[in-house]
Amino acid sequence: AQSVTQPDIHITVSEGASLELRCNYSYGATPYLFWYVQSPGQGLQLLLKYFSGDTLVQGIKGFEAEFKRSQSSFNLRKPSVHWSDAAEYFCAVAGAGNNRKLIWGLGTSLAVNP
Amino acid sequence: NAGVTQTPKFQVLKTGQSMTLQCAQDMNHNSMYWYRQDPGMGLRLIYYSASEGTTDKGEVPNGYNVSRLNKREFSLRLESAAPSQTSVYFCASSYAGQGVYEQYFGPGTRLTVT
C-alpha cells in the first residue's frame, strides 16, 4: 500500500541555520511528490513538486527538495531559515490510478528560535 | 482570481444540528476535495469529486454527505453533528487531465460541535 512517512513530528532550529525535513514514501511506480506548507491558522500552500526529470527541485520561499529513488526519499531543504518559516510542513505522494487522490504524511512542525 | 473560497470561516454547532460547508473555486478545475484536519492525524480525505457530476468516498466519509453543485462548487453537509466532527475542514481543487496535478486549498472552516 502507498504511504508517506515524515519521521520528525517536531523540529526546532535557530534562525539562520540550515534545515532538512525528511520524507519517505512507499510507492510501486514512479512517484509524483509534493511538499506543502501550512502557516498557523491558514490553508495549505504548495512549496514544490516533483514529477520527473531533474531530481533536485526548486520551490518557493527558497526551499528545494531532492528526490532519491534508491532511498525512497524526498527531503525538503533550506540553507538559511527565517523566523517566518515556522509552520507545519506536509509531504504527499499522488496515489495510483486516475482518481487524483494524494497520500499525505502526518506533517512536521517547525519552530524557529530567534 | 480568488482561488478556493470556503464559508463559513468559523462555526459552533450543538450536537444533532445540521449544517452545510460551502466551497467554490474559480480556477476552472475539474476535481474537488474535502479534507478534515485533526491534531496528530494530518489530513484525511472525506469525499472527493473527480469531475462534475461524480462524487466518491474518501477514507472518513461516515456522517457526511457532499454535493457537486456545478463545476465551481462542492458542498459538505453534516446531517446530525457529533462532537467527533469537531475539526478544521479544508476544501481543495485540482486540474484533471493527463497526469497528476497539485491541489489548491481554501483557508479552512473551523468547526466546533458541543
Side-chain angles (χ1 to χ4, degrees), chain A residues 32 34 36 38 40-46 49 51 88 90 94-95 97-102 104-107, chain B residues 31 33 35 37 40-43 45 48 50 57 90 94 96-107 110:
Chain A
Y32 296 87
F34 306 83
Y36 282 82
Q38 183 182 29
Q42 304 295 316
L44 280 76
Q45 181 184 21
L46 180 70
K49 61 188 178 186
F51 286 178
E88 189 91 15
F90 293 93
N98 294 322
N99 57 27
R100 320 297 181 197
K101 292 190 289 185
L102 296 184
W104 294 87
L106 294 182
Chain B
S31 300
Y33 311 82
Y35 292 92
Q37 184 179 35
M41 303 190 76
L43 286 165
L45 184 65
Y48 66 101
K57 295 178 181 179
F90 289 100
S94 70
Q98 290 294 326
V100 176
Y101 298 87
E102 61 268 30
Q103 294 180 12
Y104 293 83
F105 283 78
R110 284 146 185 82

